Amino acid sequence: MTINHRETTYHEVSASADENQFLTFSLGDEEYGVDILKVQEIKGYVPTTRIPNAPHDVVGVLNLRGTIVPIVDIRRKFGMEQIEYDQFTAIVVVVVQNRVMGMIVDSVSEVMSIPPANIQPPPDFGDMNANLLTGMGKVADKLIILLDIDTVLLGENAGMSLAA
Amino acid sequence: MNLDMEMFHQTFFEEAAELLADFEGGLLRLETAPDDLETLNTIFRCAHSIKGGSATFGFTEVAQFTHSLETLLDKVRNGQILVDSGLIQLLLESLDQLKALLEVAQGHASEAPSSLPLLAQMDMVIESVEGGASDADGVLWRVRLRFYPGDDVLQRGANPLFLMEQVAGGGHITSLECDISKLPSLKDMNPETCYLGWNIELLSEKDTAYFHEIFEFVADESVVEISAVDAFAEASGQFDQIAETASVPDTRETAKEAGVFVGNPEAAIAPSKTATVAIASAESHTLRVSTDKVDKLINLVGELVINQSMLNSVIQDFSMAKLPRLIEAVAEMERASRELQERVMSVRMLPIKHAFGRFPRLVRDLAAACGKQIDLQTSGEETELDKTVIESIADPLTHLVRNSIDHGLETPEDRRRAGKGVTGIIALHAFHEGGAIVVEVSDDGRGLDKERILRKAIERGMLSATDPAPSDETIYNYIFHPGFSTAERVTDLSGRGVGMDIVKRAIQGLGGFITVSTTPGQGTRFRVRLPLTMAILEGLSISVGEEVYILPLTSIVESIRPGRGDVRLIAGATEVVMVRQEALPLLRLYQIFRSTPIVTDPTQAIIVVVENEGRKVGLLVDALIGQSQVVIKSLETNYRKVSGIAGATIMGDGRVALIIDVPGLVRVSTGRLEYTSAA
């Protein structure tokens, strides 16, 4: 997935009611964002327990204060090259459709507000990947890829889908 | 009706269910000991409490029915009516009616059979001893009723409207006047104070006591006067006339206008003669726990708090000199928290007598229905089981008992011919065995007919007639197959062939299993083995490569290290392991779970023999780690079902370990389920 950067300059944005807030994280060279309301917590990487015969991107399960939480490696999910987990590796715990799940990302960046006017519809890739995005957010000179986390984690082609 | 009220209703229904169980138990005791005054008193108290509760909560039908029941029981208690089988039958039927009415009141059933036939029977019994007593029910008289409820009647939770409802149910109101003289102006009015009073005149066949009882619960703070206007005994024609012509203010209508729910007495007159109602089974979501258990919990929590402050004081200015004290404090805390866990679990445990309670009645009724004499013997009623298991096991057990009565036990003549006592025995026996509870249902009847089962199995194509005869155990297990019934005719009780497989599935659903053993001419024994609780499991941790898994201890038969030549390949594909001359399929867990193996040579590894439904399988694991109690957590809540895995648990170090689904693996090995990765 390659995205051309477009150089756009914006004034400092202030949070307001109709702005969406996103938690941003990095994967490789790109910045991704997920709706902050879906995020339950962020924790550092800890080893998981492998689930036998699980899809490639489901690396295992984790004990989150007594709850068994499946963990998805987003790099594997997106077919990206795998890297060693290090001290920046984070697990973003999200709640999608009443399920608690974790995603492993390279590192967590910040929480930012993006006014709807600065969000473009996802570009037409002409393939499956397009519906994994809700749009492209522009903040200062950065372009944030906004993920539709429900589809990413639970969509038809997702390893977490209900159908075994 | 607001939510708070609903909450009280729930409590009432639970209490009523308990009272009804006592009532039933009392009746059955009464049958064998008709003179037991204590039992009679118990029964009477049950009826009285249900009446009180239902009247308070406005379940008019229940209240009216129990009122009649109570009147009858009172006469029994006073020795005016003798206890005989007819009376017990009537009382048992009344009990069923009461259950049906309560189901309707709870909204589990839409309609109950009419109470009228039973009420009429009760009246007949009562009248037969009363003769023509002057002030008894049945004589029409004119009642003058003055009811001035106390100011705080509403705050006390009583509802005058329901009381008026009941008054209206006791006769025909000819005049009703509401006294509003005490009503203050709107701005001075307290909405929780009752300012009203009523003067009512009605024609009734009920006696004074009836009206007194209506107001029993508010009598203390209210003015209630009941007096006769004059002696009034008229022909019924005239009565009807009066009822028609007099302008009777219909309290029920008024109540509806006020937007209050009112029980509909007319519903009871629905033309339904069939006594059986489809009663939705109501699993209760609350738990009654003995205060003893709660007190122990409180003590333990207290200990934990003390422990914690002890720890706090030790770690403040910690030095190595304090190390022994720290170790001691941690050990103490460990003990307290382990005990706390055990006790909290025991809160969910109920004695199995809650499930056994229904059987005396069931056996009694069935014995009468099929003309057999049966003695029900129970033991181990105090054995405790998880509440969920108790609730779900009652139906399968009922089926087993019915089955034993219908198929197992012979008729008295047959028994005499076989040289046995005429009274057959059905025994329910519950006890602990290892980490499980065993419930046995046995009879001393004719036993399973091996030849007939075999014939039927061949007929059904479960095996071919040319096959070598299977073992007795295999044959007897055919009765658990769907659609299998050897009964020559379908009776009310059983024989439709849907029974035993449902029983088996229900028990498996609870994590248990069922086996059957039989001796021709001497009886059959069904053995149901259930886990103590669905939340905790006694497990053996094993290692497979770098990974740790948990095997439920209840399914483990033994573990062995095979010698050279014990593991063989059959037909070049299937691996088996020889354990004491028995060839068991061998599953290499690292293959099934696709983990990186450390040990692949069986002679260097351990084989754990597990069993499900009588089938044994050997599981190849690297090593045994240890035994521990684990709390079962669901993988499905946040993920999905994983084949070969029953659930997950959290180990002492906080990491997750997966629990192996032994029944699933055994099915895989016996080839009934294609396992994608077993290759």
Side-chain angles (χ1 to χ4, degrees), chain B residues 1 50 59 126 162 197 217 304 385 395 438 479 546 578 639:
Chain B
M1 201 150 293
I50 295 175
F59 301 115
I126 295 169
F162 289 136
F217 290 97
L304 269 180
L385 258 175
D395 283 336
V438 175
I479 62 167
E546 304 252 297
M578 298 302 295
Y639 187 50

Side-chain angles (χ1 to χ4, degrees), chain B residues 29-50:
Chain B
R29 274 203 304 283
L30 207 58
E31 201 169 26
T32 46
D35 303 327
D36 188 350
L37 201 62
E38 192 43 52
T39 310
L40 257 172
N41 282 332
T42 309
I43 296 175
F44 182 81
R45 274 196 301 272
C46 292
H48 184 75
S49 305
I50 295 175

Side-chain angles (χ1 to χ4, degrees), chain B residues 182-209:
Chain B
K182 282 205 284 176
L183 207 62
S185 68
L186 206 53
K187 73 174 170 34
D188 298 327
M189 197 155 76
N190 178 353
E192 288 183 3
T193 304
C194 182
Y195 299 99
L196 304 176
W198 287 270
N199 291 303
I200 305 165
E201 272 186 35
L202 71 164
L203 289 168
S204 173
E205 290 181 315
K206 309 282 187 186
D207 58 6
T208 326

Side-chain angles (χ1 to χ4, degrees), chain A residues 47-55 58 61-63 66-70 98-101 159-164, chain B residues 547 549 592-595 633-643 645 648-650 654-658 675 677:
Chain A
T48 57
T49 301
R50 192 183 67 93
I51 306 171
N53 305 308
V58 181
V61 284
L62 205 63
N63 162 26
T67 308
I68 307 291
V69 178
N98 287 325
R99 289 160 185 249
V100 184
M101 297 179 180
M160 311 285 276
S161 66
L162 276 168
Chain B
E547 293 160 359
Y549 292 91
I592 290 180
F593 293 151
R594 291 191 182 168
S595 33
K633 301 264 179 185
S634 162
L635 260 185
E636 284 164 75
T637 316
N638 293 318
Y639 187 50
R640 67 178 184 210
K641 177 121 190 60
V642 178
S643 45
I645 300 296
T649 190
I650 293 159
R655 295 199 56 175
V656 179
L658 300 177
Y675 204 79
S677 60

